[in-house]
Amino acid sequence: MSGCIALLVAAGSGSRMGGDLPKQYTPVCGKPMLRWTVERTLATGAFDDVVCVIGDGHDDLYGAATVGLALAAPIRGGATRRESVRNGLEALAERAPAIVSIQDAARPLVDGAETRLLVDHVRAGAAGAIAALPVVDTLKRGDGRIAGTVSRENLWRAQTPQVFDFAAILGAHRAAAQLPATQREVLTDDAGVAELAGLEVALVPGREENFKITTQADLQRLEFLLMPTSTPETRTGSGFDVHAFGPGDHVMLGGVRIAHGQALVGHSDADVALHALTDALLGAMGAGDIGQHFPPSDPQWKGAGSALFLRHAADLLARRGGRLVNADITIVCERPKVGPHRAAIVASIAGILGVAAGRISVKATTTEGLGFTGRGEGIAVQAVVSVTLPPGEPGD
Ligand code: MG
């Protein structure tokens, strides 16, 4: 006998959280709960196969939840959790794996290290090993009023995974099925079935995070814990650039040619607005500045259209899976007047970046005659952008 199989119990039909959708198919951060559990179970690397036990009439829900995942065919559940597990074990009997891990679909935060530890216990000879937490709260017995205090010494809260020698737990379940209903009812987990058969089951300290999703509050806690790995992050970048006036008959601003009595001096086409915006985008990604990507000392950028620089930064963003949220650009000069060209500049920048014009803002101001812009010596531009980027690794 060889092999180690995870049996995920996902046959429940009720939603204790309201609505008609069975709990295990509730969307959590964009995926059905069952998919989170399956993906994390596959990622433990502990199993040769992962098999789900599903409810009657749930085939479509199951199919949609597990599309693209490498799973064995699902097994039909029974009227109770215990019967569902029994069906799963009987379906695996012909394969006769050495070890089976029985897990609740409603515990999506199952963890690789913990799972492997439990499997190792059974591999080392234990009949069973379960994840459990020592009780830390004081326990009271009562019905509205306290009738007594229960010692919490040696009391544990049983979780899943519950890992067993396959033949031993199959035999225990077959024996339990022969018991009178009153004795079967109290068997709410597989360790209980194993205990009744006289099997020794090890208690292995579990994790609080591996809680069972039962209420709306549990669901909210789960979404909070999963969010850092599923929600894009928003970043901000700022850019600033200045170019001086020199002889010429036009300036380039945001990719638009504007007739003017002077030109801006620069190595490229001196489009001060596109330079500031390029730096803002690079800044949001932590990707250096325009001078690092396009050194002024490199003759190939002489006279280059600055749209090239901005497109390069936008390509970097796209390759990292990012997206521009918005850009806000302030042009500071006395002349030329920007107002008449504002719409053309917005359209030009939106075109270069491939975004809707509504995401681009262009503003202009003078400095009331003060400073170098006030004296008409050049143009300054400030740009601020917001971008979204896929989340980093946890803890980065
Ligand atoms: Mg520049």
Side-chain angles (χ1 to χ4, degrees):
M1 288 196 298
S2 68
C4 186
I5 293 181
L7 194 65
L8 301 194
V9 189
S13 59
S15 169
R16 277 179 277 182
M17 292 179 292
D20 294 331
L21 192 65
K23 178 176 68 175
Q24 62 274 28
Y25 297 105
T26 305
V28 181
C29 294
K31 287 191 242 182
M33 189 191 302
L34 177 63
R35 190 176 182 94
W36 285 104
T37 311
V38 168
E39 285 181 348
R40 290 178 67 102
T41 301
L42 287 167
T44 63
F47 302 110
D48 300 303
D49 240 330
V50 176
V51 186
C52 293
V53 183
I54 66 171
D56 252 341
H58 293 176
D59 299 69
D60 288 350
L61 286 170
Y62 172 81
T66 57
V67 66
L69 298 178
L71 295 176
I75 296 160
R76 188 75 46 203
T80 64
R81 185 188 185 282
R82 190 185 49 75
E83 284 174 33
S84 291
V85 173
R86 165 92 194 274
N87 289 359
L89 294 172
E90 293 290 356
L92 296 174
E94 207 169 302
R95 282 179 68 173
I99 294 171
V100 64
S101 174
I102 303 168
Q103 302 174 207
D104 295 328
R107 292 187 194 267
L109 294 178
V110 59
D111 163 84
E114 176 181 43
T115 301
R116 288 189 296 272
L117 187 65
L118 292 164
V119 169
D120 285 346
H121 264 79
V122 178
R123 217 168 249 146
I130 73 165
L133 290 168
V135 171
V136 292
D137 294 319
T138 298
L139 295 177
K140 301 293 183 191
R141 181 183 290 115
D143 185 9
R145 291 173 55 181
I146 294 174
T149 297
V150 180
S151 166
R152 67 188 171 203
E153 197 182 348
N154 294 330
L155 285 186
W156 295 72
R157 293 187 283 138
Q159 300 179 315
T160 73
Q162 301 195 344
V163 182
F164 301 95
D165 175 274
F166 179 79
I169 194 67
L170 175 60
H173 264 279
R174 283 175 176 169
Q178 304 304 317
L179 293 171
T182 48
Q183 286 182 46
R184 290 197 312 252
E185 269 168 19
V186 299
L187 300 173
T188 51
D189 75 345
D190 302 287
V193 173
E195 291 155 51
L196 211 65
L199 300 176
E200 241 178 65
V201 181
L203 288 165
V204 177
R207 297 168 307 122
E208 281 292 349
E209 299 76 44
N210 187 25
F211 60 98
K212 188 172 183 176
I213 311 301
T214 305
T215 63
Q216 275 293 342
D218 294 334
L219 197 60
Q220 282 163 13
R221 183 176 164 205
L222 174 66
E223 288 198 311
F224 179 78
L225 289 169
L226 288 170
M227 214 174 301
T229 56
S230 62
T231 307
E233 55 186 61
T234 303
R235 295 194 185 185
T236 303
S238 80
F240 180 75
D241 197 26
V242 171
H243 280 257
F245 283 125
D249 62 0
H250 72 278
V251 296
M252 294 299 294
L253 272 181
V256 174
R257 182 188 169 106
I258 299 172
H260 189 56
Q262 289 174 296
L264 291 172
V265 180
H267 188 67
S268 62
D269 67 358
D271 191 324
V272 62
L274 293 189
H275 294 182
L277 184 53
T278 302
D279 258 356
L281 270 183
L282 293 173
M285 288 182 278
D289 62 29
I290 194 168
Q292 286 171 256
H293 290 261
F294 303 97
S297 55
D298 189 335
Q300 69 168 308
W301 312 124
K302 187 164 171 53
S306 297
L308 179 96
F309 306 151
L310 183 57
R311 217 168 270 132
H312 170 77
D315 284 349
L316 271 183
L317 180 66
R319 258 183 273 144
R320 286 182 52 177
R323 191 173 64 77
L324 177 79
V325 177
N326 73 309
D328 187 18
I329 298 145
T330 305
I331 301 170
V332 185
C333 61
E334 301 291 329
R335 292 255 182 295
K337 288 289 170 205
V338 173
H341 306 284
R342 186 201 306 258
I345 295 171
V346 167
S348 163
I349 291 172
I352 295 166
L353 292 172
V355 300
R359 294 186 182 272
I360 308 297
S361 154
V362 171
K363 316 197 296 293
T365 185
T366 70
T367 48
E368 303 287 343
L370 300 173
F372 70 86
T373 52
R375 292 189 296 272
E377 294 169 3
I379 301 180
V381 174
Q382 175 179 285
V384 177
V385 299
S386 282
V387 306
T388 59
L389 281 170
E393 294 302 306
D396 76 352

